[in-house]
Every structure is written in structure tokens, then in C-alpha cells.
Amino acid sequence: MGPFMSPFNNLLCMLLGISFTVWFTLLLVFIIVPAIFGVSFGIRRLYMKTLLKVFEWATVRMERGAKEKNHLLYRPCSLNSIIAKEPTSLEDELKEIRRNCSSPELEGSASTSTGPSPSSSEFEMSDTFYFCRRGIESIVDDEVTKCFTAEELESWNLLTRSNYNFNHISSRLTVLWGLGVVIRYGFLLPLRLTLAITGVGLLVVLTAMIGFLPNGRMKNFLSEKVHLMCYRICVRALTAIITYHHSENKPKNGGICVANHTSPIDVIILASDGCYAMVGQIHGGLMGLIQRSMVKACPHIWFERSEVKDRLLVAKRLSDHVKDKSKLPILIFPEGTCINNTSVMMFKKGSFEIASTVYPVAIKYDPRFGEAFWNSSKFGMVNYLLRMMSSWAIVCSVWYLPPMNRQEDEDAMQFANRVKAAIARQGGLVDLLWDGGLKRGKVKDNFKEEQQKLYSKILVGTQEVRSRS
């Protein structure tokens, strides 16, 4: 058997060698080299258009199958609300409730008497109906919880994780879905893993080497080119198709860039179009190795775990960075947590206390090709990245908004809310006042106290009117 197996082993080794050579040659020519020079052959956009046609055909087939069986397809609820709410004030709603709850006999007797009318009393039992109704609405249509669940799709994108109509899949759709599984896990996933390892490996090695150079223009130039190249390779590892709008508004050195936050890959999405100084906590393991390598080539701002809670120390280091106009703009996500890209939640005011000028950026993902939202309470980082790399693609749009200045009569919180409203408006997102910290915590007492104070003002105002009369 030995003499016969030796030629076979040699042939197998030769075929494997040729396969790896062809594989890495294709990677080098079509992905790595274009990433270095920032060019694209348009393959990803052609791939996206093809996927859209396949998704449309699959949705039509599913709807036809449901119609033949006289079944209703599952339809997701509206992204904004499942309860129709009219924007009315607390005082107007209380007046309406009191008017509806008071009987005509009481109104007639009240009008002929000299005493105060029922609508002007200090408190009425009917007032509780308003608070009960608002409480039930909050439970049924919770604005906060909806922000931390994946966005539901109107059509099927051939991923079982986004399909609620399995009983309407025909044999053709089953074959197409199976073919999609083979493509995603047999071809795309290995390709993307190879690119991700290549991008991260080059980032660690090259930034560490650049760190030995003396500070100056050459070091800054090489650091910028290396960061852009590695991030663009990582973008291709996700088959990310990104459209950048209004590039003339890109953040300038010494500034602060703020953006809505959906996923950890937000950093890669933005950094593949320009270099930023990152802000974050020092980690261990592979992430710590990457951080230590990056900071050698670029002035990123990393904090020890004990320093993160020291707001004065954090503010001072950020302020010192902003004052140096030769340093890269700081990239900050003021929400402090990942939101499912349907809304923008409360911005923390810390970054708006540091600088009077910020550069807003709006990021909007297209969930039809893959869900970019990271539900950290459900998926770990490794599991999340595998789900991303086994999706069809990551498609998103990025808008660079004009720089916004803090006005003289504005405090940091008002400035933050104005910037947040501009980002939500540009990205087509819902502007919410809730704190993203509610993802893991309870409602703060000041939210409850605001409603109590509002109701108290109405009662006090009623008393003042009565005393004047």
C-alpha cells in the first residue's frame, strides 16, 4: 500500500497547495489591494442588487403559498407604535376626562350654585383614570423595550432567524434556502473569517512597528494609512456596503464626533472612511493586545477600570485631547449602549460639556440583508460576530451632518438633545427621551418626580385661580 499511497499523498498536497495559492491570490488582488488604495470594483453592490431580486421573488412565492391555503401571513407591528397616541398635554387630557365623567345633572347644579365647578376642584377620583391608562399603555406598548429587540422585517431574507411564516415555504423556497445555507456557511463564512484574521493581524503588527518611529508627520501619515487599510479589510470581512453622504462635513482634527450606536461595528463603519481617536476601557486578552498596539501608533484614549468612574479625570483627558488641533477627532457614542437602529435614545451630556462644537453623524442600517443590532443580553461577542459573518451582507448609510455649536443660552443637556434630534431626523429614526441605561436598570426617581410635579402644578394653578376669584 505504501508505494501506491505516496503518489496519492503527493497529488493531494499539490492540489491543496494550488488551492491555497489561488485562494490567497484572489484575496490579494480583489480585496486586500483595493482596500489599501480605497477603491472598489463594484462587486458588492452588484451582489446586493442580486440579493434584492431574490428576496422579492421569495416573498412573492411565500405570499402566493399563503393565499392558496387561505392563511394570513405574519406581519410585524409598526416600528413607531402599536397604540395610536395623540400629542396632548396632561392638563388637556385631565379636563377631557373630568368633563366626560361628570353627569349633566351635576353640571347643571354646579352652574346654578356659587361654589366652584367640578372641573376646578383640587382633586377628582376621575384623575386616576389618566394615570391608569398611561400605565397600561406603557406596559402594552413599551417604547424602551422595543429599542432592545431586533427589528422585524416585512419580507423574508432567506434567514431562518428572520422568518415567521415557515408553514408557507414551498419546495422551491426550501431548495433556495438550503442553497443559501451552503453559500453563507460554506463560502462566505470562511472567506470572511480569513479577511477578519488578516485585517486584525495586520493592524496589530503594523501599528506596533509604527510605534517605534519618532513622533512626527511621517509617523502620523503611516498610522493613518495603516488604520484605513486594516479597517477597510475588516469592512470587507462583513461584506459591508456603505454609502457615505456629505463627506464635506467629515469631522476635523481636534473635534468630537458623536453618532447613534447600534453595534460594535459602528467603529469600523466610520473608521474605514476616516481616522478617529477611540475612547474606551482597557481590556485584557486579544482586545487588550489590539488596544496596546493601536495606542503606540495613534493617540487613542484608554482608561483603566478604576478610572472610568472618575468623571473629572475622563473629562480632563478628553479636554486635553480636543485642545490639541493636531490630534485626530474623538469618536464617541453618547447613548452608552446599543439601540436597534429604529430609535435614538438619550445622549449622555459628558461629551457635550467638553467642546462647544461637535460633528454629528447618523448611521442607518438596512436590516433586509442582515441584522446589525447587538443584543448584548442575548448574544455574546463571539456569537454575535459569527451571526454577522453568516448573514448575507451589512448594508448601511452614513450621513455627516454640518458641525453644530453650543449656543450661549444652552446647557450641556439641551445641546445634547438638539444634536440628538438632528441625528434622528436625518437617519429617519424615532427621537426618544429615555435613558439607554434602562436596558439593565430601573426607571430613575426623577422621571417619576417630573410627572408628579407636572400634576402638582395643575392643582396649585387651580388653587391660585380660585383664590383670585
Side-chain angles (χ1 to χ4, degrees):
M1 293 292 293
F4 292 100
M5 289 298 295
S6 180
F8 177 76
N9 291 336
N10 293 336
L11 178 61
L12 181 61
C13 292
M14 184 178 67
L15 290 176
L16 289 175
I18 295 174
S19 300
F20 280 111
T21 301
V22 172
W23 177 263
F24 283 104
T25 301
L26 292 175
L27 288 181
L28 185 66
V29 173
F30 290 100
I31 296 178
I32 297 178
V33 171
I36 294 174
F37 295 100
V39 297
S40 175
F41 295 124
I43 298 175
R44 285 174 294 167
R45 295 195 178 274
L46 178 61
Y47 168 71
M48 180 185 70
K49 293 178 181 179
T50 304
L51 284 177
L52 281 176
K53 294 185 180 296
V54 174
F55 296 161
E56 292 173 0
W57 179 83
T59 303
V60 170
R61 292 290 303 182
M62 190 174 291
E63 291 175 348
R64 185 184 302 172
K67 186 176 181 180
E68 291 174 354
K69 298 178 182 179
N70 292 324
H71 290 168
L72 293 176
L73 286 174
Y74 170 84
R75 296 293 185 188
C77 298
S78 171
L79 294 177
N80 296 328
S81 162
I82 60 175
I83 296 178
K85 301 176 185 178
E86 296 182 359
T88 56
S89 65
L90 170 61
E91 185 175 4
D92 292 339
E93 291 202 35
L94 287 178
K95 287 181 180 179
E96 182 68 23
I97 291 174
R98 290 181 180 185
R99 184 166 56 250
N100 293 335
C101 290
S102 58
S103 62
E105 291 80 5
L106 287 176
E107 289 183 354
S109 62
S111 61
T112 56
S113 65
T114 58
S117 65
S119 62
S120 63
S121 60
E122 295 184 5
F123 170 77
E124 286 193 14
M125 186 60 67
S126 60
D127 293 352
T128 60
F129 293 156
Y130 167 80
F131 297 104
C132 290
R133 178 172 62 81
R134 291 300 299 269
I136 294 173
E137 285 181 353
S138 298
I139 294 173
V140 175
D141 190 17
D142 183 4
E143 291 180 332
V144 177
T145 304
K146 289 192 299 185
C147 294
F148 304 116
T149 55
E151 184 178 354
E152 297 178 351
L153 302 179
E154 290 285 349
S155 59
W156 186 33
N157 59 1
L158 299 181
L159 298 176
T160 54
R161 65 192 76 158
S162 61
N163 179 35
Y164 301 91
N165 298 291
F166 288 110
N167 54 321
H168 303 303
I169 297 179
S170 64
S171 57
R172 291 185 181 181
L173 284 180
T174 303
V175 173
L176 185 61
W177 172 81
L179 180 61
V181 170
V182 173
I183 293 174
R184 288 187 293 112
Y185 287 93
F187 175 73
L188 293 179
L189 183 58
L191 173 64
R192 291 167 176 172
L193 285 174
T194 304
L195 288 174
I197 294 171
T198 303
V200 174
L202 288 175
L203 181 65
V204 171
V205 173
L206 295 179
T207 52
M209 293 173 60
I210 292 174
F212 291 106
L213 297 176
N215 293 331
R217 291 185 177 180
M218 179 58 67
K219 181 177 181 179
N220 294 337
F221 174 79
L222 292 176
S223 174
E224 179 180 349
K225 296 303 179 183
V226 165
H227 277 85
L228 285 174
M229 178 190 70
C230 295
Y231 283 126
R232 285 167 180 167
I233 293 174
C234 291
V235 160
R236 285 161 171 77
L238 298 170
T239 315
I241 302 147
I242 313 167
T243 304
Y244 298 97
H245 304 272
H246 312 305
S247 295
E248 66 275 9
N249 297 324
K250 288 172 64 174
K252 304 295 190 297
N253 283 359
I256 292 183
C257 173
V258 297
N260 57 304
H261 198 25
T262 303
S263 162
I265 69 168
D266 293 339
V267 175
I268 302 175
I269 297 296
L270 294 178
S272 64
D273 192 45
C275 290
Y276 297 88
M278 309 298 176
V279 180
Q281 179 180 311
I282 295 177
H283 296 273
L286 177 61
M287 183 61 70
L289 175 63
I290 297 173
Q291 287 180 318
R292 290 191 297 271
S293 301
M294 290 173 62
V295 79
K296 291 178 181 179
C298 182
H300 299 289
I301 305 174
W302 308 129
F303 295 97
E304 296 286 351
R305 184 182 295 273
S306 59
E307 297 176 336
V308 174
K309 296 182 180 180
D310 190 342
R311 294 187 60 186
L312 293 178
L313 177 61
V314 173
K316 184 179 184 305
R317 291 188 61 184
L318 294 178
S319 180
D320 292 342
H321 184 102
V322 172
K323 290 177 182 177
D324 189 347
K325 299 304 179 182
S326 65
K327 292 185 177 180
L328 295 174
I330 300 175
L331 177 58
I332 296 178
F333 301 101
E335 289 169 297
T337 188
C338 294
I339 314 298
N340 69 353
N341 210 227
T342 62
S343 311
V344 183
M345 303 192 78
M346 187 181 77
F347 279 6
K348 305 293 190 298
K349 65 179 182 179
S351 55
F352 298 89
E353 293 174 332
I354 299 168
S356 59
T357 302
V358 300
Y359 296 86
V361 175
I363 307 174
K364 178 63 177 177
Y365 291 90
D366 190 337
R368 292 176 297 177
F369 301 91
E371 180 55 57
F373 168 59
W374 181 33
N375 188 348
S376 57
S377 60
K378 187 176 181 180
F379 302 107
M381 177 60 78
V382 175
N383 192 350
Y384 166 75
L385 290 176
L386 287 175
R387 287 172 63 89
M388 293 279 286
M389 290 186 176
S390 61
S391 297
W392 291 111
I394 299 299
V395 180
C396 72
S397 295
V398 175
W399 290 272
Y400 296 108
L401 278 67
M404 300 181 66
N405 299 305
R406 181 173 171 180
Q407 300 174 356
E408 293 182 359
D409 57 343
E410 263 186 336
D411 59 24
M413 198 67 242
Q414 292 172 331
F415 185 30
N417 287 334
R418 188 161 60 89
V419 173
K420 176 170 66 75
I423 291 176
R425 185 166 53 251
Q426 180 62 75
L429 307 170
V430 180
D431 184 6
L432 297 177
L433 296 176
W434 295 105
D435 185 358
L438 294 173
K439 183 178 184 178
R440 296 183 178 86
K442 295 182 179 180
V443 178
K444 295 180 179 179
D445 292 336
N446 60 345
F447 283 106
K448 304 175 185 177
E449 292 171 358
E450 285 180 6
Q451 296 298 317
Q452 294 170 353
K453 289 178 181 178
L454 188 59
Y455 183 57
S456 300
K457 286 181 180 179
I458 295 176
L459 298 183
V460 171
T462 302
Q463 289 181 348
E464 291 179 353
V465 171
R466 292 178 58 191
S467 62
R468 291 173 185 172
S469 61

